[in-house]
Amino acid sequence: MPVTNVYTTIAPVNIAIIKYWGKKDTKLHIPLNSSLSFTLSMNDLKSKTSVVASTEFEQSRLILNGVSEEFENNKRIQNVLQLIQQHATAQWYTEAKKNNTVDQYKLLIVSENNFPTAAGLASSASGYCCLVYALAQLYQVEKGTDLSTIMRLGSGSACRSLYGGFVAWEMGTDHASSNAVQVAPESHWSTIQILIAVASADKKAVSSTSGMQDSVNTSEKLKVRASEIVPKRLEQMRLAILNKDFATMADLAMKDSDNFHECCADTKPPIYYMNETSHLVVRIVNAYNKVKGTIQGGYTFDAGPNAVLFFENQDTMKEFLAILLHIIPRSDKQTDAEYFPKYNLFVTLDLKEQHKQLVQQVEKELNLESTEENKGKLRFILHTTVGSGPQVLDEKESLITNMDILQRK
Ligand code: PMV
């Protein structure tokens, strides 16, 4: 039976430190402003996708985290597929086209994230990046095709996951010019450490797609943000990254996150993605920086309550971790390793003792009477670093087995 090889890819999550919010062109996903992100290491967070085409399947199917999702009527997927097919050079496809049998080929796409979907951890970014990367293998997309522009049609922020390290999405003016470019590879500044403090793993109330267009239509602040604030800030950010100037980079990222959430609050009806725990984490970061006398920690929040915290190196990350674990303790129902999976790697008796004084100073700065009431306010804390772009995996890593191919009619 005519069946192609199975292709499997993995793709990373990216976290914007200059946010994208709002489209100028909702069809082509041309954003109101350029944006810039870190790519997170796939050792900790990733999407994985396997694809295969066969004439034996009755219909094309997409299975995401074990659940069958809409395929034929999913406009984003259809747009992506159409563009991939325009650039296809795979023999099976070109022959099928010649023989007018393209429609007989149906796809099976199986995809998994190893983190909670839609929890504000940008699963759509890694998901669409991974899907396009896998389809590009299946269809053998011609060399020189800018896959970031195709990923952008899946989900805007997905285009930034195409590269490792520090990546800008240049807003551009049309399909070809609205693409991702690498500002610096992960090796340029590999000491950066990231903590993700998960305040909720639930699905968000207002999707970024509808939230951002409500902001475009109703927020005056967003107009100023896109036309005046971001263009300047993006250039400053680019320089801060190239110069490895942590304090400037973190300062700009925190300002940008604050400004993005102000625009959400300025939207009619107002959108609030951050919650009480998010604001507590912001206060802890500010208190830490104040006690240290310079900016040694930064935060950024996407369209959800989870905090992405970043530090210049392991020493400052560990200092902050000692503070965070003390001020927002795990719930009594959790173990240390459930709360912070890398507990045994980073938290030793030493760490608590070593930073005892600093923790006390931050606690004083926050004017906290007790940390008891904060118990369990965070669901869990993840640790990661800046990492590389998507990869093609070996056949034996596939999410699709031969049995699947035989049985999935
Ligand atoms: O690509 P989308 O539609 O999921 O939008 C993402 C928007 C933010 O995550 C809030 C910001 C960004 O630049 O990633």
Side-chain angles (χ1 to χ4, degrees):
M1 67 179 191
V3 55
T4 67
N5 290 338
V6 180
Y7 293 92
T8 301
T9 53
I10 49 171
V13 170
N14 74 74
I15 296 291
I17 46 175
I18 301 283
K19 307 285 185 199
Y20 145 57
W21 196 247
K23 297 177 183 78
K24 284 200 279 245
D25 183 327
T26 50
K27 261 208 181 118
L28 288 178
H29 293 188
I30 310 281
L32 275 193
N33 59 261
S34 300
S35 55
L36 197 150
S37 58
F38 302 139
T39 296
L40 304 187
S41 168
M42 292 191 283
N43 291 336
D44 302 295
L45 301 162
K46 61 170 177 276
S47 291
K48 183 175 176 182
T49 302
S50 295
V51 290
V52 63
S54 170
T55 55
E56 295 290 309
F57 299 151
E58 268 166 23
Q59 51 172 346
S60 288
R61 297 183 63 188
L62 165 66
I63 298 165
L64 178 58
N65 292 323
V67 180
S68 202
E69 301 277 335
E70 181 57 55
F71 185 86
E72 298 297 346
N73 295 318
N74 184 326
K75 243 175 93 194
R76 289 174 184 231
I77 291 193
Q78 294 305 323
N79 286 344
V80 159
L81 193 58
Q82 208 185 346
L83 270 178
I84 291 273
Q85 288 173 343
Q86 275 174 23
H87 295 278
T89 68
Q91 206 186 347
W92 68 269
Y93 185 74
T94 41
E95 265 173 28
K97 240 176 122 178
K98 239 193 285 160
N99 302 335
N100 253 327
T101 56
V102 165
D103 287 348
Q104 290 175 16
Y105 277 92
K106 304 290 177 198
L107 299 178
L108 173 61
I109 304 171
V110 181
S111 188
E112 273 177 16
N113 298 321
N114 67 347
F115 54 94
T117 298
L121 291 181
S123 63
S124 66
S126 55
Y128 275 107
C129 173
C130 204
L131 172 71
V132 170
Y133 213 66
L135 290 174
Q137 311 306 316
L138 176 67
Y139 287 88
Q140 297 290 303
V141 157
E142 62 197 331
K143 288 216 159 54
T145 307
D146 188 341
L147 292 181
S148 78
T149 59
I150 305 180
M151 291 167 185
R152 190 196 76 237
L153 289 178
S155 158
S157 57
C159 69
R160 295 185 313 239
S161 280
L162 178 60
Y163 302 108
F166 305 83
V167 184
W169 170 13
E170 307 286 1
M171 63 175 166
T173 48
D174 56 11
H175 175 68
S177 60
S178 189
N179 67 347
V181 290
Q182 190 177 50
V183 173
E186 58 276 27
S187 57
H188 166 73
W189 203 358
S190 58
T191 57
I192 297 277
Q193 302 290 308
I194 296 155
L195 294 174
I196 305 175
V198 178
S200 161
D202 302 334
K203 251 183 141 73
K204 54 196 167 199
V206 183
S207 76
S208 48
T209 307
S210 71
M212 68 173 72
Q213 286 321 107
D214 286 349
S215 298
V216 170
N217 295 331
T218 62
S219 169
E220 285 304 313
K221 282 190 181 166
L222 185 66
K223 291 196 177 81
V224 182
R225 167 177 170 75
S227 62
E228 290 171 34
I229 301 177
V230 171
K232 261 191 233 138
R233 192 175 280 153
L234 199 97
E235 288 324 303
Q236 291 167 336
M237 183 64 96
R238 225 187 276 264
L239 269 182
I241 290 168
L242 294 175
N243 295 332
K244 295 198 253 184
D245 174 354
F246 184 83
T248 305
M249 185 267 269
D251 185 41
L252 293 169
M254 290 189 281
K255 283 185 174 138
D256 198 72
S257 175
D258 293 347
N259 177 235
F260 154 53
H261 288 279
E262 278 165 25
C263 292
C264 291
D266 185 48
T267 301
K268 306 284 170 294
I271 309 167
Y272 300 105
Y273 287 120
M274 291 169 70
N275 63 19
E276 188 206 344
T277 307
S278 321
H279 291 288
L280 174 61
V281 175
V282 167
R283 285 178 54 221
I284 300 172
V285 174
N286 279 317
Y288 169 63
N289 287 336
K290 194 163 170 203
V291 168
K292 296 289 287 187
T294 55
I295 297 180
Q296 307 237 332
Y299 61 77
T300 185
F301 292 82
D302 272 350
N306 303 331
V308 178
L309 306 166
F310 45 91
F311 307 89
E312 188 167 13
N313 52 48
Q314 271 205 10
D315 290 341
T316 48
M317 185 273 286
K318 283 186 188 173
E319 270 184 0
F320 188 84
L321 190 60
I323 297 166
L324 187 64
L325 292 174
H326 175 76
I327 296 181
I328 310 186
R330 65 170 168 78
S331 90
D332 292 333
K333 292 186 208 119
Q334 273 177 317
T335 62
D336 289 325
E338 278 166 350
Y339 189 39
F340 180 50
K342 292 195 184 168
Y343 197 89
N344 291 333
L345 191 66
F346 291 120
V347 189
T348 55
L349 255 187
D350 232 32
L351 181 75
K352 290 182 183 166
E353 270 313 302
Q354 210 181 337
H355 304 303
K356 211 169 168 180
Q357 207 190 346
L358 179 70
V359 172
Q360 279 168 1
Q361 284 172 302
V362 171
E363 211 175 344
K364 202 166 150 222
E365 185 61 41
L366 287 168
N367 237 331
L368 285 182
E369 277 181 10
S370 129
T371 58
E372 188 63 25
E373 66 191 51
N374 296 333
K375 250 189 185 176
K377 279 192 174 171
L378 288 175
R379 303 267 296 259
F380 52 90
I381 303 165
L382 302 176
H383 164 265
T384 191
T385 52
V386 176
S388 65
Q391 285 167 24
V392 181
L393 296 187
D394 203 74
E395 252 171 69
K396 54 182 191 293
E397 308 271 358
S398 169
L399 296 170
I400 298 174
T401 62
N402 282 339
M403 273 317 262
D404 286 326
I405 297 173
L406 290 171
Q407 285 172 356
R408 286 255 161 100
K409 298 240 168 172

